[in-house]
Amino acid sequence: MTPGSTKVAEPEFDALVVGAGFAGMYMLHRLRKLGMTARVFEAGDGVGGTWFWNRYPGARCDTESVEYSYSFSDEIQQKWEWSERYPTQPEILRYANWVAEQLDLKRDILFSTRVNAAHFDEASSQWTVTTSDGSTTRCRFLIMATGCLSTANLPDIPGVETFAGSRFHTGNWPHEPFSFEGQVVGIIGTGSSAIQSIPIVASQAKHLYIFQRTANYSVPAHNGPLEPERLDEIKTNYHDYRHRARHSRRGYFEDTNPVSAHQVSEDERRREFERRWQFGGLGFIASYNDLLSDEAANEHAAEFVRNRIREIVEDPETAEKLVPYSYPIGTKRLCIDSGYYETFNQPNVTLIDARDEPIVEVTERGIRTSETEYNVDSLILATGFDAMTGTLKRIDIRGRNGLELRSYWEDGPVSYLGLGVSGFPNMFTITGPGSPSVLSNMMVSIEQHVEWIADCLEYLQANSIETIEPDAEAEAEWTRHVIEVADGMLFSKGNSWWKGANIEGKPTVFMPYAGGVGRYRSICDDVAANSYSGFDLSKAPASASSTS
Ligand code: NAP
């Protein structure tokens, strides 16, 4: 159909948003403020995204509650009362639902509706989105708020489907309460999700077998109730704290220490690591500004953690298995725990080093390794996610000329700023690959992307622009830059999900932008200030202009 020759059907919505996690919720709010018609499709039957699905025992945010929360509305940040330093999954979910009520979001969210396909039609410059109920909806703008860790990774262990007991994946936990009381339980994986759940499962189970393939570095959370005085102080100074976070490296109130680990004496370094260990949390990796770029500096921090593990774990053989050696600290996501290493001092807990004793298969009764079979009543797969690209590639997304996103990304994701993909006009990705996203406080990155996209849409409306998409050269340049920044750091030394190394056959490409959220924000702001440089903008032919 040639624009202008036949009447183009109006789109049903100006914008469709995929996902009702924190990104999708805020996006909907901003779209409404622009006066745009919008609908959100959400696969789950409630809001909250990752916090809707990840209900495993001990699930809790590794970022402090006062930082892992919306900052766009002072009313919201002043009204909500966090109860603990690190919020539990149920508290975050209550918060998400409360915000949805405050902003009356749910009336525009279609729950239990999975997006299966989204095809761009060049004649009308509209997207047609097909959902799991078989229906199709047309829109001008397609905004993917699908999250970075939303497709659970079922490990390719032979027989995993045949287990006859109760099987769980941490990323897709049942909504009904479940107790492991009196059970023999096996857990595969020792990443963040496992490290949070193991102490709780061990407190219930008759026996817990933990299958560890790679020992991880974990720092204590030192969680506790949020003191009212601290909450008051933060609320009084929220504006300054949030400003600092937005312009920092990692999106937190406290920025990375600007000093090199080599600039200080051994004593001083130890004191700083000790101070951060005692304080707890992800800030440990920000002790010095070169921990992620200088191997010798990194080794100081790694060795500090190794020694703490040896101090906590009583059995020296178990302690040595738990001590991570195979990669520099922080080149896989640092874990935060509440009593993880202490759990190995319990008589009902056994650590199996799957490097020495590889898992051969899952049987009906349990897990068979090269040495023996461990019979278990329940099996927990804490085996992570097909991160950042997995969810997007599972949707049949087709741009210009039927270009499929999954084939365009066959060798790894290419994206301009993690916000858009060349050949996919009017499609935006919130915290997409190529943006700081998972290397930062997600809330800070989500808000920055939503606000950038909302400003962009306003600009398009004001200037009667029909389509926007990244220029292929700008996209290639940015993708190269993302890899170059990561290559200048130590990230190549860790087999992380950040670079897809956890998924068999996935291209090994470092996906998030490691240049820091403050720097990234100013790059995005400059792009916008320069009339969206690096994007191709096209005006609607006068006769075919429909909604803008
Ligand atoms: P993960 O970090 O990818 O850990 C998966 C674990 O499963 C690893 O120990 C991995 O071993 C193991 N594994 C995978 N396939 C296996 C196989 N076939 N055989 C044996 N072991 C296997 O996943 P996650 O723990 O779910 O965490 C993912 C991310 O989610 C975190 O890094 C974090 O960003 C986020 N998260 C955040 C929070 C929070 O803020 N509260 C909590 C949980 C998770 P290898 O290391 O050898 O691959």
Side-chain angles (χ1 to χ4, degrees):
M1 184 166 64
T2 316
S5 63
T6 314
K7 194 167 172 6
V8 174
E10 294 286 312
E12 285 131 294
F13 294 97
D14 291 324
L16 286 178
V17 180
V18 187
F22 284 120
M25 287 168 60
Y26 182 32
M27 194 70 244
L28 172 60
H29 177 62
R30 291 302 295 251
L31 288 165
R32 281 183 183 167
K33 287 189 115 184
L34 290 173
M36 295 178 99
T37 56
R39 161 86 27 111
V40 181
F41 290 131
E42 166 55 52
D45 62 14
V47 295
T50 196
W51 303 103
F52 176 88
W53 300 105
N54 285 265
R55 298 174 187 235
Y56 58 84
R60 183 187 286 286
C61 189
D62 286 343
T63 296
E64 295 196 30
S65 49
V66 289
E67 304 195 54
Y68 192 86
S69 48
Y70 285 128
S71 72
F72 68 84
S73 153
D74 195 46
E75 193 187 339
I76 283 176
Q77 70 182 8
Q78 294 297 338
K79 261 193 189 171
W80 180 263
E81 298 281 320
W82 292 105
S83 67
E84 288 180 88
R85 182 176 168 198
Y86 295 95
T88 60
Q89 174 272 330
E91 188 167 11
I92 303 172
L93 201 55
R94 277 200 300 280
Y95 170 73
N97 277 284
W98 175 79
V99 173
E101 275 163 35
Q102 298 289 304
L103 303 176
D104 189 21
L105 296 177
K106 290 188 184 176
R107 68 184 155 85
D108 285 325
I109 305 175
L110 216 57
F111 292 105
S112 306
T113 305
R114 186 174 284 281
V115 169
N116 290 335
H119 294 176
F120 183 73
D121 172 49
E122 289 185 61
S124 62
S125 293
Q126 290 176 23
W127 284 92
T128 301
V129 172
T130 308
T131 44
S132 45
D133 58 1
S135 61
T136 57
T137 314
R138 289 187 322 280
C139 63
R140 276 194 67 204
F141 298 102
L142 176 67
I143 304 173
M144 307 307 288
T146 42
C148 295
L149 295 157
S150 40
T151 296
N153 168 41
L154 198 64
D156 55 354
I157 302 171
V160 74
E161 304 280 5
T162 63
F163 180 66
S166 310
R167 196 188 76 188
F168 304 86
H169 192 292
T170 48
N172 196 0
W173 202 267
H175 293 192
E176 305 71 41
F178 186 91
S179 170
F180 295 99
E181 214 69 51
Q183 287 202 352
V184 178
V185 182
I187 182 164
I188 299 178
T190 50
S192 297
S193 304
I195 280 176
Q196 288 189 334
S197 55
I198 280 169
I200 313 288
V201 177
S203 72
Q204 299 170 358
K206 185 161 87 186
H207 201 94
L208 176 61
Y209 292 107
I210 299 162
F211 295 84
Q212 169 191 275
R213 191 166 64 180
T214 308
N216 261 320
Y217 298 91
S218 186
V219 169
H222 295 308
N223 186 41
L226 194 53
E227 302 302 332
E229 304 75 41
R230 165 128 170 96
L231 191 56
D232 280 356
E233 188 272 322
I234 287 168
K235 285 191 172 181
T236 308
N237 299 297
Y238 238 147
H239 180 267
D240 292 345
Y241 278 118
R242 300 291 202 184
H243 180 82
R244 241 185 280 166
R246 287 185 198 116
H247 297 275
S248 71
R249 188 169 177 84
R250 298 157 54 250
Y252 291 92
F253 293 173
E254 190 183 341
D255 209 347
T256 304
N257 183 358
V259 173
S260 155
H262 297 302
Q263 249 173 280
V264 297
S265 69
E266 196 181 328
D267 265 8
E268 192 177 333
R269 243 186 346 252
R270 206 173 17 79
R271 271 199 305 277
E272 182 62 8
F273 290 144
E274 182 64 32
R275 185 184 76 75
R276 291 191 184 239
W277 180 273
Q278 292 307 335
F279 183 74
L282 293 166
F284 185 84
I285 203 64
S287 306
Y288 293 101
N289 72 357
D290 49 0
L291 295 189
L292 292 175
S293 54
D294 180 300
E295 252 183 301
N298 184 288
E299 182 58 19
H300 291 306
E303 194 54 19
F304 178 90
V305 175
R306 291 183 196 124
N307 286 331
R308 302 316 298 255
I309 299 169
R310 292 185 183 108
E311 282 166 24
I312 301 169
V313 180
E314 290 159 7
D315 172 40
E317 215 176 295
T318 306
E320 272 326 294
K321 285 183 189 167
L322 286 165
V323 166
Y325 271 111
S326 59
Y327 66 100
I329 185 168
T331 60
K332 290 173 79 154
R333 162 66 147 73
L334 186 64
C335 300
I336 304 302
D337 72 276
S338 295
Y340 174 63
Y341 293 119
E342 289 81 350
T343 306
F344 293 90
N345 297 332
Q346 291 180 206
N348 67 331
V349 173
T350 305
L351 177 67
I352 293 114
D353 186 337
R355 300 259 178 204
D356 293 345
E357 191 185 329
I359 297 173
V360 175
E361 62 171 344
V362 172
T363 66
E364 269 186 33
R365 291 181 307 274
I367 299 139
R368 197 163 68 76
T369 67
S370 56
E371 306 300 313
T372 186
E373 183 169 351
Y374 297 87
N375 289 344
V376 298
D377 302 303
S378 287
L379 173 62
I380 302 173
L381 302 171
T383 45
F385 302 88
D386 185 352
M388 304 203 76
T389 54
T391 307
L392 291 167
K393 286 177 83 173
R394 275 167 181 77
I395 302 172
D396 174 15
I397 301 175
R398 298 187 198 184
R400 280 191 201 283
N401 303 315
L403 177 66
E404 289 185 59
L405 186 72
R406 57 172 76 117
S407 54
Y408 191 54
W409 281 6
E410 205 175 324
D411 299 326
V414 280
S415 161
Y416 185 42
L417 301 166
L419 277 162
V421 184
S422 166
F424 298 83
N426 292 350
M427 182 182 91
F428 296 95
T429 50
I430 302 181
T431 65
S435 73
S437 60
V438 290
L439 296 180
S440 69
N441 174 353
M442 282 303 288
M443 281 300 222
V444 171
S445 286
I446 284 171
E447 286 193 332
Q448 186 252 332
H449 263 195
V450 169
E451 286 158 13
W452 190 94
I453 293 167
D455 290 348
C456 175
L457 294 176
E458 193 174 13
Y459 177 90
L460 302 182
Q461 274 183 323
N463 292 282
S464 306
I465 288 163
E466 187 169 68
T467 61
I468 179 168
E469 70 185 286
D471 166 71
E473 222 166 274
E475 177 182 85
E477 182 57 35
W478 179 256
T479 304
R480 264 195 303 276
H481 176 61
V482 169
I483 291 166
E484 197 177 84
V485 172
D487 283 350
M489 301 174 81
L490 300 173
F491 290 115
S492 64
K493 298 186 181 296
N495 279 331
S496 65
W497 58 259
W498 291 328
K499 59 178 195 187
N502 63 327
I503 303 291
E504 188 71 30
K506 189 167 174 171
T508 314
V509 176
F510 195 80
M511 296 182 282
Y513 176 58
V517 298
R519 183 164 145 202
Y520 175 79
R521 176 182 295 269
S522 50
I523 294 170
C524 291
D525 288 351
D526 286 349
V527 164
N530 289 309
S531 312
Y532 295 89
S533 51
F535 285 93
D536 292 332
L537 277 57
S538 70
K539 293 238 180 200
S543 53
S545 167
S546 52
T547 56
S548 54

